[in-house]
Each structure stands twice: as C-alpha cells, then as structure tokens.
C-alpha cells in the first residue's frame, strides 16, 4: 500500500516502451511518489581489531547469553514454520516490478532481486508457503485506464508465477494445501479496478483473482475509503451504496473474498452486515493499539469474530506504532495479543505489505524475517496450535468457507445489475445510447426466416404436381 | 418440344430438391463454423446484456438474424461471437466494454448449456459437436479493445478469445484500417507500425488467430509477410466481384491460399453485390472466386449476421 498521510511529491516515469499511444485525457499518468520506490538497504560492516577483542567480548557477553535462549525460540519457530508455512495476505512486489522494471521481468532475476523486500530466496528463508500478490493500480487511474492497468498487473503476476519453477499459481484452498512450492494467488487492491462493472468482477474471477479490497485510498462511486485526504473522488459516498451492496453479493456468489483493508469503518460494517461469507482484512492491524485509520476498531473485530473472518496483521510501521520511532517485532506482537483478546486467535493472520509500505519494524525488514515474529509470539506464550492458526489454518478456514458459499450459490442467477449512470458519469465512459458505425441489423429490414412451411414440403408438393402434369401429358 | 421442356422441368425441380437434401445431409455430418456473428452487440443494444429478461430468451428471440432455433436450422456447429465495441470507445472505456461483451458471451453459454458450449480449442469444437451443442468461440473486433497493451492481449487470450480483428473501422495507434484505402482517411502507419508487428508476433506466440477483416490492404500484406501462423478474414468477400474496400483483392487472396489461411465470405449485400440488394447466387459467386484464386481450402463462411442490416 502506498503512503497515506501526506500528499506526495510526484515523479513521472517513462511510459512503457511497448506502448506507443498518443496521450489522451483518459490515460492516467501513473505518477509515483519517490517514497513508493523502495530504498535499497545499505549494510554497514564493522571491522574488529584483535587488541579490542577482549573488550568486545565483555560488552557482548550478555547478548551472547540472551542469544542462546533466543536461539532455542528461533529454532522452535523455524521448526513450526517448516510444518506450517506462512500464507501471507498482501505483497506489492508486482507494483515494484512495474515501477522499477516496467514489468519487463525477463530482464531481472527474481531469485535474488536485490532492490525489493521480496525475492524468491527470501521467501524461502521466510518459510512462505503461499503469497497473495497485489494487482494494484493508483487511484489516479480511476475513471481512466484502471481496468487496462489492472489487467497488466495480473499479467505480470501470472508471468512471474509461471516463469519460476519455485512458484505455482493456484486459485483454490486445496491448491494452497497441495502445493509443494510457493503458491501464488492474486488480490486486487481497490474497487476502482472494476470500473463499477459487475461483469469486470466476473472477468477478474475468471482470471484467477480471489480477493478484492473494496477500496484503496480513494472512494469509488459505490464504496468509502478510510483515507479521506488524498483524492477528491465521490466525496458524498458513505459506506456502501446500493450498488456497492450488489458488488458484495456478487463477490459472495462468485467465491471472491471481500477484503476490507483500506475501507472506512462504515464500509466495513456494511459489508460485514450483508456478506454471507467470512471476510478478510488482508493487511490491517489493531486500532486500539495504534489509532491509525487503516486499523480495525474493536467493535469491528468483534463482528469479524462472529463473521468467522480474519484480520491479517500488517507490518507497516505507521500503522503499528502511531509515530513512535522504535518499532520492532514486539510492537507487531502487541497487535497480535490485542486482537487475540478481542476476537480470538482464530481471527488472526499475517499480511506483511512488503514492497508496498515504506518502512518496516526492526527485525522484520523483509520477507525472510517472518520467523522472528513467530519466535516473539512463542516467547509470549502462544501455543503451537494458535501459531499454526495464524500462519495458515485460520486463512484456509476462511477460504474454504468462501468456497462453500460459492457452491451453495450455484442456483443463484448471475447479477446483472448496473450502476446508475448518474452515479458514475465521466468523460472517459462512453454513453452508448446512440449507435455509431455498427448499423442496426433489422430495424430497416425485418428478417424473414423460414415462412413457417418447411421448404421440403413446398418442393415435394411442386414435384408431385409437376409429376402429375408429366403423367397426364405422356 | 413441349414435352421435352416439361420433362426437363420435372427433372430440374426434382434434382433441386435432392441438392438441398444433399446439402443438409452434408451439414448434419459437417456443420458450418461461421467466422463472425454480432448477436452479443444486439444483446447489448436491445437488452443491456440482461440475459435474464423474458425478451432476451434466445430460444424465442425475435427481431434478430440469430436465435437458437435458427442456428439449429442452419446447421451451425461452431460460431465465433464477436465481442465488438465501437471505435468511439477507443481511448476511453474500450477495454472494460470489450470485457463486458466477453462476459455476456460466457453467460450465454452458462444459461443455455444444452445449446452452447464455450470452447477455446479445435478439440473443444469437436467435443461440442459430439454433444450436440453449438461450439461457441470469441473474437475481438478491433485492436482498440486492447488499448495498445500486450498484457491486455494476453489476458484476453486467457479469457478464451481466439481471434482479434486488428482494426474495426478506425486506426489504432499501431495499425491502419480499411478506410485509408478510400478517400475518407489517410494512412497513418502504412500498414503495421513497429509495435503492430509486436502485436502480431505475440498473437502468433499465444495462438490467437490474426483476423484481417476491416484492415487496409497494406496491413494485409504486412501481416501476411510476418505472421508465422495462417491468418483469417473472419467476414470479408472478394474485391474482384465487388470492389468494396472491405473485400479482399486477388493478389492478397493468392498469398492467403499459399499460406493456408481462410477467407470467410461475408453475406452483407453491400459487400456481395456492391449494392443494397444481393442474392444467394451472388454469395456463391464469391465462394467460387475465392476457391479459384486461393483454393477450396481457403474458403469459409463469415455471415456477419446481426452486424449488418441486409
């Protein structure tokens, strides 16, 4: 996810070389903040002189002793994660591939890509068993080219997952369970990607998308975001509109998970009220611990428990510590403890938001560091069953139930509702009430198909009549 | 003399009925695959794609060239449904509109599973025949639908699109349409641009057929030069018989034949006879002509029903 708190200074990027398009007012600029571009960590190496070695040892002794205990917890964490590899709810690597490499993944090596939080080796070190990759496009594309840009992000994710044998694209809960690789799934981040069209939801589902965040940092014509200050789209929307409720219903029918990260509390409450399936927060934390608008207040956590849904705790430092400088693994663990108290450990998962957020807690700098979090929770007394739950079992429960709702909806008709034109009118949305170019087929000339009497009968009758004439003549 | 003429009449009429029977017998075994039908456009215009309304019942549909009973009577075994959106959507919401048309085609198949099977391979077509369904495939009509994006092209392929007509009646940023061969427009790209060639190469790689109906002659020759796969004209007729720029000139027909492509003859009167009226014999003349120039293996049907008025 992108930085929400300040209006960023914008850079323009080179357009994709494979597109030679005249700029139109319906093409978004895809302007990214410098903060969106991941900064490469610089590691500093200390050199130790032999004559200072004894002093160094004295200084380091307490740490050495503590680290022995840590090592045990770390060992247990790793063992646990080997048995129950993590399903992470949200990762923006695809956005970085766009920003840094214009989606030209043939030119890079995802095994050890150094410029991102995420690469395949780090995922393996972090015992990641499944990852939801975010197909995200900026809100500035709303009412412009959001659909095409979203398709391009889905395309780069699919290409990435097919070009590396360590990755495997799946679309079901069973697919995650069966995979011996890193299972890849797709989530769309923001309802602006469907351009107010239920057909688009169905198309994205067909392409393998299995969750949609109802908003990103902008309102859509039918849903309200938690970030009010960044964009001025549809300022009067409150929660979910009538059409927004149809979106939620169609997502239930299709089996697409409803993601409430980035939505306002009103939107979240409305969705929880009508959804027949459990919902998710793919990357959000606890409002009571840090009162950031991206986080989930206690009453919604309680509703989520009744809904049997899941909040996948996120690691973005601004959402964890509300301005505190010292943000570390313990800060993250506080959120886990709180949500466990309010909604039970079965309501918790992990959604790191790597390669989307700008800064991460000390100790959780990239996707290889997940074991550090499990280690901390072990220290706090979380038991193995609870930890396997947050690593994967809770999410799988939610996904299976969403799939069950889909199966139970088989007799339901496809939702053919449309948003009212006045709710969504804009200059890049064509009004097809007049009919250009394609002539209307039948209004000028009614089609006469068969006259109703089979031609065989006509020709048979004629033949018989003529035969009779012939016979008479002869 | 009179007896002779009457006897001849009896024989001719008798054999005419037999020819029709023969045609039907052939088509029972080998039903037609038609290259282009715009029923989805009519579903949008008339019903806003609301297939659930009573008037949109495809078994009882009136006022269109196409309905399920008519497809059955016509022995249609395979149909490319056009996911067409007007050129006015270019640089606006063409992509979303095209996807909505793809969605309505998929829903047609879901709603009428006895009659339609949405398939995306030649094997799928044969399976549909065996099951007694009309094999339903999807073609996009106009490169404006991909908004100059190879990523979008790949996603259309994944959704089952198996041909793309490179243009409708407008240029895209990478290819010229047929109107540049008339006085109405000037050529912009002189056939395919550099990116246009990338599009064709990617279509070859994916296995999406390149459709040259609606494109300019230079575009036709550019594509025929670089395409590694046979190409199609999903709904175009013979220029030599009706010199309309939507039709295919003989030199192009020859190359199509050499490269094992197919020209699916359009039945629109204006392209058949270059006038507002035409008859079945004139359509057959086009089939004969394509056969003569390109070989019988290059001939097909692309009626353009529900896309044109006559």
């Amino acid at each position: 996810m992108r930085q929400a708190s300040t209006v960023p200074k914008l850079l323009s990027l080179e357009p994709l070389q494979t597109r030679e398009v005249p700029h139109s007012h319906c093409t978004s600029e895809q302007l990214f903040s410098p903060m969106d571009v991941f900064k490469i960590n610089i590691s500093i190496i200390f050199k130790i002189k032999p004559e200072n070695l004894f002093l160094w040892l004295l200084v380091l002794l307490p740490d050495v002793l503590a680290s022995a205990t840590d090592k045990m917890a770390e060992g247990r964490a790793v063992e646990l994660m080997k048995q129950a590899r993590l399903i992470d709810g949200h990762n923006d690597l695809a956005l970085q591939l766009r920003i840094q490499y214009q989606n030209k993944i043939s030119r890079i090596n995802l095994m050890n890509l150094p410029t991102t939080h995420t690469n395949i080796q780090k995922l393996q070190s972090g015992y990641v068993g499944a990852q939801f990759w975010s197909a995200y496009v900026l809100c500035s594309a709303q009412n412009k080219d959001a659909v095409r840009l979203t398709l391009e992000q889905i395309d780069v994710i699919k290409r990435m997952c097919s070009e590396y044998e360590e990755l495997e694209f799946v679309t079901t809960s069973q697919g995650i369970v069966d995979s011996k690789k890193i299972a890849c799934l797709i989530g769309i981040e923001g309802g602006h990607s469907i351009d107010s069209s239920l057909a688009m939801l169905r198309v994205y589902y067909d392409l393998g998308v299995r969750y949609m965040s109802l908003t990103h940092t902008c309102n859509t014509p039918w849903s309200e975001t938690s970030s009010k200050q960044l964009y001025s789209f549809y300022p009067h929307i409150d929660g979910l509109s009538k059409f927004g409720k149809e979106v939620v219903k169609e997502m239930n029918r299709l089996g697409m998970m409803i993601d409430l990260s980035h939505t306002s509390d009103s939107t979240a409450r409305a969705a929880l009220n009508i959804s027949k399936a459990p919902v998710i927060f793919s990357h959000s934390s606890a409002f009571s611990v840090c009162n950031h608008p991206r986080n989930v207040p206690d009453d919604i956590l309680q509703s989520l428990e009744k809904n049997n849904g899941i909040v996948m705790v996120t690691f973005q430092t601004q959402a964890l510590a509300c301005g505190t400088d010292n943000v570390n693994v313990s800060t993250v663990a506080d959120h886990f403890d709180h949500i466990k108290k309010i909604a039970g450990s079965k309501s918790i998962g992990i959604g790191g938001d790597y390669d989307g957020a700008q800064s991460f807690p000390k100790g959780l700098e990239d996707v290889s560091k997940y074991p550090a979090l499990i280690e901390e929770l072990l220290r706090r007394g979380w038991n193995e069953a609870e930890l396997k739950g947050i690593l994967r079992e809770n999410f799988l429960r939610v996904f299976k139930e969403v799939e069950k709702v889909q199966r139970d909806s088989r007799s339901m008709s496809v939702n053919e509702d449309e948003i009212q034109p006045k709710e969504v009118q804009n200059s890049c949305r064509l009004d097809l009430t007049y009919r250009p170019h394609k002539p209307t087929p039948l209004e000028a000339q009614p089609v006469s198909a068969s006259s109703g009497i089979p031609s065989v009968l006509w020709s048979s009758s004629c033949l018989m009549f003529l035969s009779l004439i012939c016979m008479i003549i002869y | 003399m009179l007896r002779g003429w009457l006897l001849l009449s009896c024989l001719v009429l008798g054999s005419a009925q037999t020819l029709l029977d023969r045609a039907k017998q052939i088509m029972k075994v080998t039903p037609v695959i038609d290259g282009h039908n715009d029923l989805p456009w009519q579903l949008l215009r008339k019903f806003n794609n609301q297939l659930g309304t009573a008037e949109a019942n495809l078994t009882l549909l009136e006022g269109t060239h196409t309905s399920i009973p008519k497809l059955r009577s016509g022995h249609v075994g395979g149909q490319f449904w056009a996911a067409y959106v007007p050129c006015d959507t270019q640089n606006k919401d063409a992509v979303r509109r095209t996807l909505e048309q793809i969605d309505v085609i998929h829903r047609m198949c879901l709603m009428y599973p006895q009659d339609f099977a949405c398939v995306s391979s030649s094997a799928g077509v044969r399976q549909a025949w065996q099951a007694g369904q009309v094999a339903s495939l999807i073609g996009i009509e106009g490169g404006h639908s991909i908004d100059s994006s190879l990523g979008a092209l790949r996603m259309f392929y994944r959704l089952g699109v198996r041909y793309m007509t490179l243009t409708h009646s407008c240029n895209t940023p990478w290819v010229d349409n047929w109107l540049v061969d008339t006085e109405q427009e000037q050529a912009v790209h002189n056939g395919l641009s550099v990116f246009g060639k990338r599009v064709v190469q990617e279509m070859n790689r994916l296995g999406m057929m390149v459709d040259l109906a609606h494109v300019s002659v230079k575009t036709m020759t550019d594509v025929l030069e670089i395409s590694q796969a046979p190409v199609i004209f999903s709904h175009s007729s013979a220029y030599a018989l009706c010199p309309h720029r939507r039709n295919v000139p003989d030199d192009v027909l020859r190359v199509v034949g050499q490269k094992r492509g197919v020209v699916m003859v359009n039945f629109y009167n204006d392209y058949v006879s270059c006038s507002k009226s035409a008859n079945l014999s004139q359509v057959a003349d086009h089939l004969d002509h394509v056969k003569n120039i390109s070989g019988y293996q290059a001939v097909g049907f692309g009626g353009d029903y529900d896309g044109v008025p006559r």
Side-chain angles (χ1 to χ4, degrees):
Chain A
M1 76 64 109
R2 265 46 52 209
Q3 293 306 302
S5 54
T6 56
V7 176
K9 182 169 179 244
L10 300 173
L11 294 171
S12 70
L13 293 175
E14 290 288 330
L16 295 178
Q17 286 165 2
T18 49
R19 287 172 46 79
E20 298 164 11
V21 279
H23 186 76
S24 82
H25 71 282
C26 298
T27 311
S28 67
E29 295 283 352
Q30 284 301 284
L31 300 170
F32 294 99
S33 157
M35 294 183 288
D36 292 317
V37 182
F38 176 68
K39 291 171 189 163
I40 301 166
N41 279 327
I42 301 168
S43 63
I44 301 168
I45 302 165
F46 290 94
K47 288 193 176 173
I48 300 175
K49 293 181 184 171
E51 55 268 29
N52 294 330
L53 186 58
F54 180 68
L55 285 170
W56 276 110
L57 282 172
L58 279 178
V59 165
L60 291 171
L61 186 59
D63 288 331
V64 167
L65 288 172
S67 77
T69 317
D70 286 349
K71 285 287 175 205
M72 282 174 58
E74 186 187 330
R76 276 181 63 205
V78 165
E79 277 314 302
L80 195 63
M81 291 191 77
K82 279 180 186 171
Q83 297 165 33
R85 288 186 302 149
L86 171 67
I87 301 172
D88 182 274
H90 193 88
N91 182 301
D92 275 297
L93 178 64
L95 174 68
Q96 296 305 323
L97 294 178
R98 185 173 198 105
I99 294 174
Q100 298 181 37
Y101 305 107
Q102 295 83 53
N103 286 356
K104 292 176 173 34
I105 60 173
S106 57
R107 300 181 187 184
I108 57 174
N109 185 350
L110 280 173
M111 287 301 299
N112 53 16
L113 193 63
T115 58
T116 49
H117 297 134
T118 315
N119 62 40
I120 293 175
Q121 283 171 357
K122 286 180 187 167
L123 287 167
Q124 290 169 331
S125 300
Y127 298 96
V128 175
Q131 180 66 66
F132 268 90
W133 303 106
S134 173
Y136 163 74
V137 305
L138 292 183
C139 275
S140 54
Q142 176 156 235
N143 298 335
K144 292 187 176 184
D145 47 3
V147 171
R148 192 242 323 146
L149 290 166
T150 308
L151 290 179
E152 289 177 347
Q153 292 312 98
I154 294 172
D155 172 64
V156 78
I157 291 165
K158 283 179 172 253
R159 286 193 283 123
M160 173 176 98
C161 296
S162 70
E163 282 166 28
Y164 287 85
E165 58 178 29
E166 292 81 6
L167 306 177
E168 180 181 17
F169 188 73
V170 305
T171 54
T172 61
S173 58
Q174 196 60 44
I176 297 176
V177 167
D178 291 343
S179 178
K180 302 277 180 284
K181 304 183 181 188
I182 299 171
C184 296
L185 302 103
I186 303 179
I188 285 179
E189 193 176 10
H192 57 291
S193 286
I194 67 166
D195 200 12
S196 300
S197 166
L198 296 182
M200 280 313 308
L201 260 187
R202 293 188 281 272
V203 162
Y204 287 138
Y205 185 87
D206 280 348
L207 289 171
V209 171
R210 288 298 176 267
Y211 79 61
M212 181 173 77
S213 319
L214 299 186
T215 70
H216 190 249
T217 49
C218 55
N219 293 340
T220 71
W222 45 270
S223 59
E224 187 191 14
T225 180
S226 61
S227 307
K228 303 282 190 272
Q229 64 275 38
L230 273 188
Y231 294 94
S232 58
F233 292 108
Y234 309 105
H236 304 299
I237 196 84
D238 175 21
L240 283 177
S241 72
K242 182 167 171 298
F243 183 74
K245 292 174 185 168
E246 298 304 319
V247 171
V248 167
K249 288 184 206 163
E250 186 67 348
M251 290 174 77
N252 279 169
R253 188 189 70 79
L254 284 168
M256 192 188 287
M257 284 174 273
I258 293 153
D259 176 26
L260 300 177
S261 288
H262 282 287
T263 64
S264 68
D265 292 346
S266 301
T267 304
R269 289 185 188 112
L272 278 159
N273 203 26
I274 59 169
S275 175
K276 290 188 201 161
V279 304
I280 72 172
F281 286 79
S282 64
H283 57 304
S284 296
S285 298
F287 190 84
S288 291
V289 179
C290 164
N291 59 348
H292 189 286
R294 279 276 286 107
N295 287 339
V296 190
D298 285 357
D299 71 297
I300 295 180
L301 286 175
Q302 283 163 337
S303 302
L304 190 70
E305 187 189 7
K306 293 195 192 87
N307 164 264
N308 222 11
I310 188 171
V311 55
M312 304 178 93
V313 173
T314 198
F315 300 173
Q316 188 222 141
T317 52
Q318 283 191 327
L320 288 173
C322 286
T324 312
D325 285 339
N326 184 23
V327 185
N328 55 28
V329 180
S330 180
T331 326
V332 181
D334 290 343
H335 284 262
F336 279 80
D337 281 340
H338 179 80
I339 298 171
K340 177 177 165 182
K341 201 168 62 181
I342 304 295
S345 69
K346 72 176 184 69
S347 304
I348 313 176
I350 297 174
D353 200 13
Y354 286 108
D355 283 308
Q358 185 197 359
S359 61
F360 287 84
K362 188 158 171 290
L364 287 172
E365 291 85 356
D366 62 46
V367 299
S368 68
K369 309 287 189 200
Y370 291 107
L373 172 62
I374 303 302
E375 189 186 321
E376 174 64 17
L377 293 174
L378 276 167
R379 261 194 234 104
R380 291 183 181 211
W382 286 62
N383 65 45
E384 275 198 12
E386 289 169 334
L387 291 172
K388 285 184 178 176
I390 64 169
L391 282 168
R392 62 192 285 117
E393 298 303 329
N394 297 339
F395 180 81
L396 286 172
R397 177 198 77 238
V398 168
F399 199 176
K400 284 176 186 167
E401 210 173 311
V402 165
E403 288 167 336
K404 181 175 180 306
V405 168
Q406 177 212 21
R407 285 193 300 273
D408 293 344
S409 306
R410 279 200 183 131
S411 60
M412 272 177 69
S413 309
V414 169
N415 193 328
E416 293 185 320
D417 264 31
E418 290 192 313
I419 195 164
Q420 294 293 314
K422 64 176 190 284
E423 293 174 62
V424 81
Q425 232 159 16
N426 63 78
S427 62
C428 299
R429 198 177 188 93
L430 190 71
D431 176 10
L432 284 181
T433 51
Y434 82 104
R435 304 289 169 242
H437 299 310
K438 271 279 182 183
T440 61
L442 295 182
E443 281 152 19
Q445 181 185 327
V447 170
S448 61
S450 145
S451 61
I453 300 172
S455 58
V456 171
L457 196 55
W458 269 115
S459 45
S460 304
S461 307
C462 291
L463 185 61
M464 281 173 61
F465 176 72
L466 283 163
S467 302
L468 190 61
I469 300 292
C470 293
M471 281 168 60
I472 293 167
I473 291 167
Y474 277 93
Chain B
M1 174 74 168
L2 178 62
R3 290 181 189 184
W5 277 113
L6 282 168
L7 180 60
L8 188 61
S9 307
C10 294
L11 286 169
V12 165
L13 281 162
S15 62
Q17 192 245 346
T18 307
L19 278 174
L20 184 59
D21 284 342
R22 267 186 68 199
K24 288 178 181 174
Q25 283 306 315
I26 290 170
M27 291 188 77
K28 272 189 188 146
V29 175
T30 310
V32 64
I33 295 176
D34 182 274
H36 192 89
N37 184 299
D38 276 294
L39 180 65
W41 171 245
Q42 296 306 319
L43 295 176
L44 175 64
R45 283 205 54 241
K46 287 167 148 347
F47 310 116
N48 237 359
N49 287 348
Q50 317 262 321
L51 295 184
T53 59
E55 298 76 22
N57 185 332
L58 296 183
T59 312
L60 306 170
L61 193 60
E62 288 179 6
T64 52
H65 297 131
T66 316
S67 67
I68 289 173
K70 288 173 188 170
L71 287 164
R72 294 300 195 184
S73 301
H75 295 278
V76 177
Q79 181 65 69
F80 267 93
W81 303 108
Y84 160 77
V85 300
C87 277
D88 289 4
T89 62
Q90 178 154 228
N91 298 326
K92 292 192 177 179
D93 54 355
V95 178
R96 190 196 88 248
R97 287 266 181 207
T98 308
L99 291 167
E100 287 173 343
Q101 293 312 99
I102 292 172
D103 173 67
V104 82
I105 295 165
H106 286 164
R107 289 194 284 119
M108 265 168 55
C109 293
L110 285 174
M111 209 167 217
Y112 299 92
Q114 311 288 345
D115 300 295
F116 295 130
C118 274
V119 300
S120 53
S121 65
S122 51
V125 171
R126 289 187 196 281
Q127 272 173 335
W129 286 351
Q130 308 218 326
Q133 298 157 306
V134 176
S136 292
L137 303 106
I138 304 176
I140 289 178
E141 194 178 6
H144 58 286
S145 287
I146 66 165
D147 196 16
S148 303
S149 165
L150 297 182
L153 180 72
R154 288 187 282 268
M155 293 301 100
F156 282 130
Y157 183 85
R158 283 193 190 262
L159 290 165
V161 171
R162 286 300 176 266
Y163 78 62
M164 180 168 74
T165 323
L166 297 188
T167 68
H168 192 250
S169 301
C170 55
N171 295 340
T172 71
W174 42 272
V175 63
D176 284 346
N177 83 105
W178 67 280
L179 286 168
V180 311
D181 292 329
T182 70
E183 284 165 8
Q184 293 184 55
E185 283 183 23
Q186 297 293 312
V188 172
H189 308 289
N190 194 29
L192 286 171
S193 75
V194 168
F195 182 69
K197 292 177 182 165
R198 296 281 313 278
V199 172
V200 170
Q201 284 161 355
E202 188 68 352
M203 290 174 77
N204 282 169
R205 188 189 70 83
L206 285 168
M208 190 188 287
M209 285 176 274
V210 181
D211 175 24
L212 300 178
H214 281 279
V215 307
S216 70
V217 175
K218 182 65 167 48
T219 303
M220 295 174 196
T221 54
D222 279 358
V223 170
L224 282 161
E225 195 178 316
I226 65 166
S227 177
Q228 297 188 323
V231 304
I232 69 169
F233 286 77
S234 64
H235 54 305
S236 296
S237 301
Y239 186 84
L241 300 187
C242 162
H244 192 293
R245 281 300 178 189
R246 272 284 282 109
N247 286 339
V248 191
D250 280 357
D251 56 335
V252 174
L253 282 178
R254 263 180 224 106
V255 181
V256 172
Q258 284 156 13
K259 299 213 166 186
R260 296 160 56 83
V262 68
V263 175
M264 305 177 95
V265 167
N266 191 322
F267 298 177
Y268 180 32
N269 292 353
D270 295 36
Y271 302 157
V272 168
S273 66
C274 283
S275 74
K276 291 192 182 352
S277 61
N279 59 40
L280 189 149
S281 180
Q282 288 169 306
V283 177
D285 289 342
H286 281 266
L287 296 164
D288 276 338
H289 186 82
V290 175
K291 176 182 165 185
N292 289 340
I293 304 294
S294 314
Y296 75 93
Q297 289 176 318
V299 184
F301 290 125
D304 205 7
Y305 285 113
D306 283 311
V308 291
R310 46 181 181 260

